[in-house]
């Protein structure tokens, strides 16, 4: 039997976690042979609710769960962790502008970055789910100068899964028959869902089977605004699909994506001309616990303008929180 690994989940009493925690505990993230210790983190006001969630986890008698601890601050909750699922964030409240939301979350992710820097395992992998995920991830990483920026990711896997699911439906194929779909940029309505490199069953090109007007005027905005569409219909933000995406992201990062292209919000190294030092979603493959950006994809003029627009948004988000960021390290420049 393997040694247990420590996984912290923030926002552990919230909606996404109510799905995510039970999947992690069942072995769906790191495999059926990997015991886990769950370190659940919440704000002090949500500790009673968290206690109830922990009771339910206990009542499932999951064989892989070797321990559960509850914490009302990240410095305790992140001690010795190998994986951080950072779901908790300040939601947008009435009258709050995007800049206010960025700033409120900057405070949370700055503290969590410091905590990871001080108390997490040195090989920790951290995934930011809480919105605005890409800029929260930047703040997190910049506050953890002793960890490498490649140890942090922002979640765009939900957008990736949506892009595959909706395209598969249009083509009448199973989403798993598609490869090469990717989402570039920010987890926001400026993201660029790109199907130009996608294949069906490893052979046929997907773009040649769809109408350009449908792709640009229907599919693209649909993926970009899918989160809002779900809020409109469900009355709540996506939860089960977000949990599945978080699980998929961490599973592939840790155990490999089997040669499949996946979208990950990662620190830009300047690939494809994207400004360095922002967390931007790129097409990647994962192997041996790390990711690599797929290089050499041909991007047409339309794609270049879409990629630029989402990059500009990320740069403006960065500018809005710049006064809260510690000085840049060599890697983040
Ligand atoms: P929720 O409101 O149900 O739960 C959030 C939980 O986080 C709450 O229990 C809250 O007490 C907790 N929390 C707030 N601040 C915290 C802190 N500093 N430390 C620890 N816990 C804290 O929300 P949810 O539906 O679970 O969504 C969580 C976040 O995920 C939101 O920001 C949402 O917008 C985002 N989200 C992202 C994606 C994505 O694709 N990246 C998809 C869906 C939702
Ligand atoms: C989603 O994409 O479903 C969420 O990011 C939407 C939201 O604002 O919580």
């Amino acid at each position: 039997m393997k040694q247990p690994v420590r996984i912290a989940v923030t926002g552990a009493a919230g909606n996404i976690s109510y799905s995510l925690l039970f999947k992690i505990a069942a072995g769906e993230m790191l495999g059926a042979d990997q015991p886990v210790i769950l370190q659940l983190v919440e704000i002090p006001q949500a500790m009673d609710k968290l206690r109830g969630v922990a009771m339910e986890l206990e009542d499932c008698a999951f064989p892989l769960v070797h321990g559960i601890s509850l914490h009302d601050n990240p410095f305790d909750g992140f001690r010795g962790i190998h994986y951080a699922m950072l779901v908790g964030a300040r939601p947008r409240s009435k009258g709050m502008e995007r800049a206010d939301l960025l700033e409120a979350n900057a405070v949370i992710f700055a503290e969590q970055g410091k905590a990871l820097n001080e108390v997490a395992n040195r090989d920790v992998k951290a995934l930011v789910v809480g919105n605005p995920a890409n800029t929260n991830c930047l703040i997190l990483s910049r506050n953890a100068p002793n960890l490498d920026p490649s140890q942090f990711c922002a979640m765009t896997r939900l957008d990736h899964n949506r892009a595959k699911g909706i395209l598969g439906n249009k083509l009448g194929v199973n989403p798993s028959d598609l490869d090469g779909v990717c989402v570039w940029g920010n987890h926001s309505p400026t993201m660029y869902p790109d199907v130009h490199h996608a294949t069906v069953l490893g052979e046929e090109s997907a773009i040649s089977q769809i109408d350009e007007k449908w792709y640009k005027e229907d599919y693209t905005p649909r993926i970009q605004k899918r989160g809002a569409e779900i809020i409109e219909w469900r009355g709540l933000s996506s939860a089960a699909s977000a949990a599945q995406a978080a699980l998929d992201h961490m599973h592939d990062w840790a155990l490999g994506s089997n040669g499949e292209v996946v979208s990950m919000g990662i620190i830009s190294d300047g690939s494809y001309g994207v400004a360095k030092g922002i967390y931007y979603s790129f097409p990647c493959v994962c192997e041996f616990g790390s990711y690599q950006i797929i290089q050499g994809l041909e991007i047409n003029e339309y794609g270049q303008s879409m990629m630029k627009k989402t990059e500009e948004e990320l740069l403006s988000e960065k500018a809005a929180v710049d006064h809260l960021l510690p000085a840049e390290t060599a890697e983040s420049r």
Side-chain angles (χ1 to χ4, degrees):
M1 196 61 159
K2 291 181 176 171
Q3 285 296 310
V5 293
R6 294 180 178 275
I7 305 172
V9 179
T10 68
N15 281 312
I16 293 177
S17 293
Y18 197 61
S19 179
L20 178 63
L21 287 171
F22 296 84
K23 287 170 176 282
I24 296 174
E28 288 178 40
M29 187 165 91
L30 297 175
D33 60 345
Q34 179 58 69
V36 296
I37 295 172
L38 299 173
Q39 302 185 185
L40 311 183
V41 185
E42 259 296 347
I43 51 173
Q45 305 89 293
M47 291 309 283
D48 285 349
K49 189 173 177 197
L50 182 60
R51 197 163 299 283
V53 174
M55 286 176 192
E56 284 204 72
L57 277 166
E58 190 180 16
D59 293 351
C60 292
F62 287 115
L64 289 175
V65 177
H66 283 214
I68 302 173
S69 57
L70 312 188
H71 308 272
D72 66 5
N73 74 84
F75 286 90
D76 291 338
F78 293 172
R79 195 161 293 283
I81 56 167
H82 304 91
Y83 299 94
M85 313 295 284
L86 304 179
V87 181
R90 171 86 192 271
R92 192 198 291 249
S93 46
K94 216 171 163 190
M96 209 176 189
E97 297 299 328
R98 192 165 170 83
D100 301 331
L101 182 73
L102 281 164
E103 217 166 285
N105 279 297
V107 175
I108 294 174
F109 285 85
E111 189 197 23
Q112 294 185 356
K114 290 186 183 103
L116 286 172
N117 198 51
E118 265 185 45
V119 301
N121 186 288
R122 294 303 82 189
D123 294 327
V124 67
K125 286 180 164 55
L127 172 65
V128 177
V129 176
N131 280 323
N134 299 52
T135 297
N136 288 343
C137 190
L138 171 70
I139 292 160
L140 187 78
S141 153
R142 288 280 289 274
N143 280 279
N146 299 338
L147 299 172
D148 194 276
S150 68
Q151 290 176 255
F152 302 87
C153 283
M155 188 170 93
T156 54
R157 183 60 177 264
L158 179 54
D159 313 303
H160 176 95
N161 288 351
R162 287 166 172 166
K164 276 182 86 169
I166 292 173
L167 181 63
N169 198 9
K170 174 77 174 172
L171 296 178
V173 301
N174 191 285
S176 64
D177 294 339
L178 296 169
D179 190 22
V181 173
C182 69
V183 172
W184 301 87
N186 200 3
H187 173 68
S188 83
T190 65
M191 74 182 83
Y192 170 40
D194 184 358
V195 303
H196 289 87
H197 321 286
T199 53
V200 185
L201 289 168
E203 285 178 9
E204 296 164 76
S205 125
I207 191 95
S208 64
Q209 298 178 48
I210 56 174
D211 177 58
E212 192 182 343
K213 187 167 156 57
W214 177 81
Y215 172 56
K216 290 187 176 164
E217 293 176 18
D218 191 339
Y219 177 80
T220 297
R222 187 116 194 251
I223 305 297
Q224 291 173 323
K225 296 185 202 143
R226 185 66 155 187
E229 191 184 1
I230 289 176
I231 292 173
E232 204 179 305
W233 285 92
R234 208 174 90 86
L236 281 173
S237 175
S238 61
S241 56
Q244 183 61 46
L247 197 93
D248 289 343
H249 180 117
M250 201 54 108
H251 171 278
D252 290 352
W253 191 7
L255 304 178
S257 65
N258 261 328
E260 231 185 82
V261 177
V262 290
S263 304
M264 301 171 79
I266 55 175
I267 189 78
S268 168
D269 62 355
S271 292
Y272 294 97
V274 173
K276 288 185 184 182
I278 49 175
Y279 280 82
Y280 186 97
S281 182
F282 286 96
C284 297
V285 283
C286 303
E287 211 180 11
F288 307 123
S290 59
Y291 62 75
Q292 270 198 321
I293 299 175
I294 312 253
Q295 298 292 346
L297 296 173
E298 221 171 278
I299 313 288
N300 63 19
E301 219 173 282
Y302 168 77
Q304 282 176 21
S305 73
M306 296 292 279
M307 285 171 65
K308 207 26 135 197
K309 191 168 171 207
T310 190
E311 176 192 356
E312 279 166 4
E313 184 182 50
L314 280 169
L315 288 169
S316 79
E317 288 186 13
K318 180 174 183 245
V321 295
D322 233 4
H323 59 292
L324 299 166
L325 293 174
E328 283 186 292
T329 59
E331 291 99 326
S332 64
R333 219 166 279 135

